[in-house]
Amino acid sequence: MRPISTWNRRVAAAVLAALLVMGAIVWAVAVSIAPPAGGPAVTPASPSVAASSVVPSPTTTAALTTASPSPSAPSTTALATPPPPAPSPEPPVTEQPPAPPEPSPAAPFPPALVGQDVEVLPGAGPVVALTFDAGANSAGLPKILQGLANGGVPASFFFTGDWAAANPAGVAAIVAAGHRVGNHSMTHPGFTGLSDAGIANEVQAAEQAILAAGGDPRPFFRFPFGERDARTIAAVNNLGYVPVRWTVDTLGWKGTSGGISAGQVADRVLAALRPGEIVLMHIGSNPDDGSTLDADALPQIIERVRAAGYSFVTLDGLL
C-alpha cells in the first residue's frame, strides 16, 4: 500500500473531527429530550405538535390565568375555597337551681307571744296598762279622754269595726291624743263558735273599718267576751295579731244597777296591782241605768296607782 500523503492525512483528520462534533450534537439532543426517570417516554415531534400536546402543570396554568385573564370567558381552573372554620363548641347548659322561696313576713309581735292570750306585760316592771273596749256606745269617751289628758296617761283602746264606722270622730280623737288602738272584731260575736273563715272575716273586716276611720289596730286583738281556745288563738295569730286579755276586769260595765260603784272599780284595780298589770274597762254606758263607772273612777285609779309607785304604758310594751 502507498503511504498516505500529508494532504490526505489532513483531510482524514478533518473528517474525523467533523464526525466527533456531529456525534456530540446527536448525544446532546438525545439527552435534552429524554424523559425524567420513571416518567413516560416522549416521542419527538415537530414544534407545532409539541406545543399543542404538552399539558401544562397546575402551577403554570394558575400563573398564566392570573397573568392573562380572558375577558370573554372565565377561567376553567378555580382556586380551592378554604373550608369555613369549625364553629366553637357551645358551652354546656347548666340548669339553674330554682330560686329559694321568699321568706314569709315576720310576725309583727315577738314569737314568744304566739299561742298566748296575754294577761300581763311580761318583764314590764312597775307599770300598768289601762285598756278600754268600745263596742256599744261612746257615752263615757269624753270623760275618759279628759281624765287621761289631765293625768298625762297613755292608754290603749279596742274598737269593734261597727263602733269605728259609727264613731269616726271618736277614733280620730283617740288617735290624735296619742293613744294605742286595737282590733275587737267586726260585730262582737263569740269566736269559739266561728269557723276559721268566719274568724278571718271578723278580724279583717274590723281592721279595714278601723283603718278607714283613721286608726291602725295591728297587731293587737281582744276576743269578744274573752271567749277563746287554742284554735281561735292560732287563727288570730295567723292573721298577724296577738290576743290581749287582761289581768283584772273592773266590772264597771255592770253599772250601778249591777251593784257596782266607782269606788269599787278603783278598789279592784288596786287589789290586782302587779308589774305589767293590764286593766279592762269600757267606754260605753250600762244599757239599763246609763252609768259610766269606768269613766267616773278613772281619776281615782290614776292617783292611787301612782301613789303605789307605778306608772302607765300602752300595750306597745308587749312589742
Side-chain angles (χ1 to χ4, degrees), residues 269-286:
V269 173
L270 269 295
L273 188 61
R274 55 172 293 185
E277 179 186 30
I278 301 173
V279 180
L280 169 62
M281 294 187 280
H282 290 80
I283 289 177
S285 61
N286 180 279

Side-chain angles (χ1 to χ4, degrees), residues 43-120:
T43 304
S46 65
S48 60
V49 173
S52 62
S53 61
V54 175
V55 178
S57 67
T59 303
T60 305
T61 302
L64 292 174
T65 304
T66 303
S68 304
S70 171
S72 58
S75 170
T76 57
T77 304
L79 296 177
T81 303
S88 57
E90 293 290 334
V93 177
T94 303
E95 185 175 351
Q96 296 296 324
E102 292 292 328
S104 300
F109 52 85
L113 299 180
V114 172
Q116 295 190 44
D117 188 12
V118 179
E119 297 182 3
V120 65

Side-chain angles (χ1 to χ4, degrees), residues 82-316:
S88 57
E90 293 290 334
V93 177
T94 303
E95 185 175 351
Q96 296 296 324
E102 292 292 328
S104 300
F109 52 85
L113 299 180
V114 172
Q116 295 190 44
D117 188 12
V118 179
E119 297 182 3
V120 65
L121 302 178
V127 297
V128 170
L130 300 179
T131 68
F132 298 86
D133 286 2
N137 57 54
S138 59
L141 183 57
K143 187 180 289 188
I144 290 170
L145 288 177
Q146 188 62 54
L148 294 173
N150 290 344
V153 173
S156 303
F157 290 78
F158 286 92
F159 308 136
T160 65
D162 283 345
W163 191 93
N167 297 274
V171 175
I174 290 168
V175 172
H179 302 300
R180 196 63 162 89
V181 301
N183 189 323
H184 196 33
S185 81
M186 186 66 192
T187 62
H188 206 272
F191 265 43
T192 55
L194 298 177
S195 65
D196 287 354
I199 291 172
N201 288 337
E202 281 286 331
V203 173
Q204 292 171 342
E207 178 180 302
Q208 293 304 311
I210 297 168
L211 288 170
D216 188 346
R218 297 165 294 187
F220 301 119
F221 178 81
R222 177 164 283 165
F223 285 104
F225 311 109
E227 182 183 302
R228 84 280 194 234
D229 55 21
R231 179 186 68 86
T232 56
I233 291 173
V236 169
N237 287 160
N238 290 337
L239 295 169
Y241 285 88
V242 54
V244 180
R245 195 172 175 80
W246 52 84
T247 310
V248 60
D249 178 355
T250 66
L251 301 182
W253 55 271
K254 286 188 173 183
T256 55
S257 60
I260 303 295
S261 67
Q264 289 174 311
V265 166
D267 288 344
R268 288 182 61 83
V269 173
L270 269 295
L273 188 61
R274 55 172 293 185
E277 179 186 30
I278 301 173
V279 180
L280 169 62
M281 294 187 280
H282 290 80
I283 289 177
S285 61
N286 180 279
D288 298 325
D289 57 42
S291 61
T292 57
L293 295 183
D294 286 329
D296 298 341
L298 183 57
Q300 183 184 168
I301 291 171
I302 294 172
E303 180 181 354
R304 292 175 66 182
V305 167
R306 279 186 171 151
Y310 283 73
S311 59
F312 296 93
V313 296
T314 69
L315 292 176
D316 283 331

